[in-house]
C-alpha cells in the first residue's frame, strides 16, 4: 500500500486557477450570448421589413383581397396607407389577418426604432452608390411597375453587458429591403 502525503502548500492553488479561467470563460460566454441576441434582433428586423415590403408590393394599388368568410377576414380596404405597412412591419397583422411575424414586440428593445416605406426608381438604384436614403423619395404607392418599394427599419441596439466584453454601449443598425412593385 502506498501512502501519499497531501501537500498543504497547493491547497488554494486550484481556487486561484479556477478564478482566472472562470473570468475568461464567463467573458466569452457573455460575448457569445450578446452576439446571438444582436443577430436575433437583426434577423427579426430583416424578416419584418421583408414581410412589409412583400405586402406593399402586392398592395401598391390598394386592397386586392376579398372577404374570406371561412377565416373570418373582412375584405381589404381600397386605400392602404404607409402607416398600415408600418403597422404590419411592427405586428405582422393587417385587417385581422396575419401576413408575417412582425417585430413580435421586440421593437421596444430597439432604441429609436423607425420604419420607413418609400419607392426607389431604377435610376436611383443603379446610381453609384445606390441612393437608398428615404428623404425626398416618392411615396411607396406611387411606384410604377417594376420600380422598387423599400422598407427600412433602423434603430440602435443596446447590449446588456457592453463594458464587460468590450462592446460599444450602442450599436446603430439599418435594414433596407427592396422588392419590385406589381402596380398596374
Amino acid at each position: 500500500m502506498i501512502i501519499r502525503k497531501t501537500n498543504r502548500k497547493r491547497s488554494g492553488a486550484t481556487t486561484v486557477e479556477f478564478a482566472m479561467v472562470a473570468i475568461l470563460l464567463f467573458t466569452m460566454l457573455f460575448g457569445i450570448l450578446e452576439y446571438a441576441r444582436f443577430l436575433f434582433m437583426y434577423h427579426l428586423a430583416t424578416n419584418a421589413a421583408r414581410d412589409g415590403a412583400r405586402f406593399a408590393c402586392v398592395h401598391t394599388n390598394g386592397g386586392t383581397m376579398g372577404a374570406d368568410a371561412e377565416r373570418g377576414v373582412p375584405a381589404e380596404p381600397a386605400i392602404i396607407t404607409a402607416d398600415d405597412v408600418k403597422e404590419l412591419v411592427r405586428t405582422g397583422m393587417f385587417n385581422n389577418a396575419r401576413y408575417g411575424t412582425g417585430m413580435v414586440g421586440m421593437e421596444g428593445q430597439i432604441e429609436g426604432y423607425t420604419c420607413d416605406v418609400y419607392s426607389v426608381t431604377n435610376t436611383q438604384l443603379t446610381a453609384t452608390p445606390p441612393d437608398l436614403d428615404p428623404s425626398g423619395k416618392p411615396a411607396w404607392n406611387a411606384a410604377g411597375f417594376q420600380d422598387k418599394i423599400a422598407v427600412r427599419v433602423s434603430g440602435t441596439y443596446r447590449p446588456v453587458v457592453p463594458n464587460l466584453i468590450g462592446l460599444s454601449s450602442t450599436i446603430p443598425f439599418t435594414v433596407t429591403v427592396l422588392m419590385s412593385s406589381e402596380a398596374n
Side-chain angles (χ1 to χ4, degrees):
M1 176 178 203
I2 299 174
I3 299 173
R4 296 187 187 217
K5 294 181 184 179
T6 57
N7 190 351
R8 292 281 178 195
K9 293 180 184 178
R10 289 199 37 91
S11 62
T14 55
T15 306
V16 172
E17 289 170 1
F18 175 75
M20 292 188 329
V21 170
I23 290 171
L24 294 173
L25 176 71
F26 286 116
T27 300
M28 193 168 74
L29 181 66
F30 283 132
I32 291 169
L33 291 174
E34 198 62 64
Y35 184 64
R37 185 172 169 257
F38 173 73
L39 285 180
F40 172 71
M41 296 294 254
Y42 192 81
H43 183 70
L44 196 64
T46 302
N47 282 343
R50 189 179 302 121
D51 292 341
R54 185 181 308 119
F55 178 83
C57 288
V58 173
H59 294 86
T60 306
N61 292 331
T64 58
M65 303 296 286
D68 187 352
E70 286 182 21
R71 292 187 340 179
V73 177
E76 291 179 345
I79 298 174
I80 296 174
T81 65
D83 288 336
D84 293 332
V85 177
K86 291 176 185 180
E87 186 65 14
L88 184 126
V89 169
R90 193 179 71 74
T91 64
M93 301 283 291
F94 173 72
N95 203 31
N96 293 327
R98 180 156 299 282
Y99 285 88
T101 58
M103 292 294 292
V104 293
M106 297 304 274
E107 69 278 0
Q109 301 292 318
I110 301 170
E111 291 183 7
Y113 167 82
T114 59
C115 179
D116 299 306
V117 183
Y118 54 97
S119 66
V120 178
T121 63
N122 288 327
T123 306
Q124 294 164 335
L125 189 60
T126 56
T128 306
D131 181 15
L132 298 178
D133 185 40
S135 59
K137 297 288 189 297
W140 70 276
N141 50 5
F145 183 70
Q146 293 297 313
D147 279 347
K148 305 299 182 222
I149 294 178
V151 175
R152 174 178 278 191
V153 174
S154 59
T156 303
Y157 172 77
R158 184 174 293 280
V160 175
V161 285
N163 295 333
L164 179 65
I165 56 176
L167 287 175
S168 173
S169 60
T170 58
I171 301 171
F173 73 94
T174 301
V175 173
T176 304
V177 175
L178 298 169
M179 289 196 180
S180 296
S181 172
E182 297 179 8
N184 303 17

